[in-house]
Every structure is written in C-alpha cells, then in structure tokens.
Amino acid sequence: MDEWKKIAAVLIGGALGGGLRDLVDVAVGQVHLFPLGIFVINLTGAFLLGLIQQLAVRHALPHWLVAGLGPGVMGGYTTFSTFAVGAWEALRMAPWQGALYVVLTAVLGPLCAWLGTKVVPARATPEEEREAEEEVSL
C-alpha cells in the first residue's frame, strides 16, 4: 500500500512541477537569447531539492512525501532534458551566451543545492543525520 501511495505522490507531484516549470519559464522568459527562465528554474530547483533533502533527513518526513516533493515536483520542475535543449539552442544562436549559461548552471546549480541543505537548522546529532541520509534518498 505504501508503494502505491509513493507512486501516486510522484505522479501528482510531477504534474504540478511540470506546470510550475512552464509558468516560471513563461514569466521569466529569456534575455538576448540567454534562456533565463530555464536558468532560474534550474537554480531554484537545485536549492529546493537540497532543502527537501535536508527536511526529509532532519524531520523524518514520510517516504511518500519525500518522493512526491523530490522526484515528483522537483523532477517535473527541473529536468536535464530542458537544460540540454535550452543550452543547445543558446549555443547555436548566441555561442558566448550559451557557453555562459552552461558554465553558470554547472557552477551555481550545485551551490544552490548546498545552500538549500544549509537552510534547515540542525536538530539531529551527526550520527542520526548519517543514518537518516542512508534511509532517505531522492
């Protein structure tokens, strides 16, 4: 039963995340052929996924909720294929802006994920955190 709950959470979360991605991309758009919308999505998604990971570990969130928020919402919100297409189009149409987009995303994305993990205050001992991290993986 729990597996079906997790699957349902991922399906619903994916639909919500995909819709949110389109809304943000349209709202932000692009600047001089730089895919700013996708860039903002990738960075905010990295931050939020880091935040979700830490919340899951520190507060022992249910697995179905973590799956619904992580692979579901964030998986629908940010995808490598969206990044790859945006990068290819930017590189083809404006090579220096495309290169800037790829480099900034590669550098700032992991930084945003790390920042997301730092937002959640520590409530567990380091040993408890390690144990929880082994149990909860996105």
Side-chain angles (χ1 to χ4, degrees):
M1 186 63 165
D2 281 342
E3 196 62 29
W4 286 107
K5 195 176 194 180
K6 181 179 169 184
I7 291 168
V10 171
L11 288 170
I12 293 166
L16 293 172
L20 183 60
R21 177 182 64 222
D22 196 50
L23 285 172
V24 171
D25 190 32
V26 168
V28 175
Q30 63 182 36
V31 176
H32 302 291
L33 302 177
F34 184 90
L36 186 61
I38 298 170
F39 181 69
V40 168
I41 290 164
N42 286 333
L43 297 185
T44 57
F47 174 82
L48 291 171
L49 192 54
L51 179 70
I52 291 165
Q53 177 72 26
Q54 284 304 104
L55 288 171
V57 168
R58 302 246 171 102
H59 298 287
L61 298 178
H63 291 290
W64 67 268
L65 180 60
V66 175
L69 293 173
V73 176
M74 290 297 100
Y77 182 63
T78 65
T79 65
F80 183 74
S81 58
T82 304
F83 164 72
V85 168
W88 170 247
E89 288 176 358
L91 285 164
R92 187 172 51 86
M93 299 189 67
W96 71 269
Q97 288 180 342
L100 179 65
Y101 170 63
V102 169
V103 170
L104 286 175
T105 300
V107 172
L108 295 177
L111 176 63
C112 287
W114 175 79
L115 287 171
T117 68
K118 298 303 172 192
V119 171
V120 180
R123 292 183 115 180
T125 66
E127 294 81 30
E128 291 171 330
E129 271 192 41
R130 274 192 293 282
E131 288 175 13
E133 285 175 352
E134 290 172 5
E135 284 185 32
V136 177
S137 66
L138 301 175

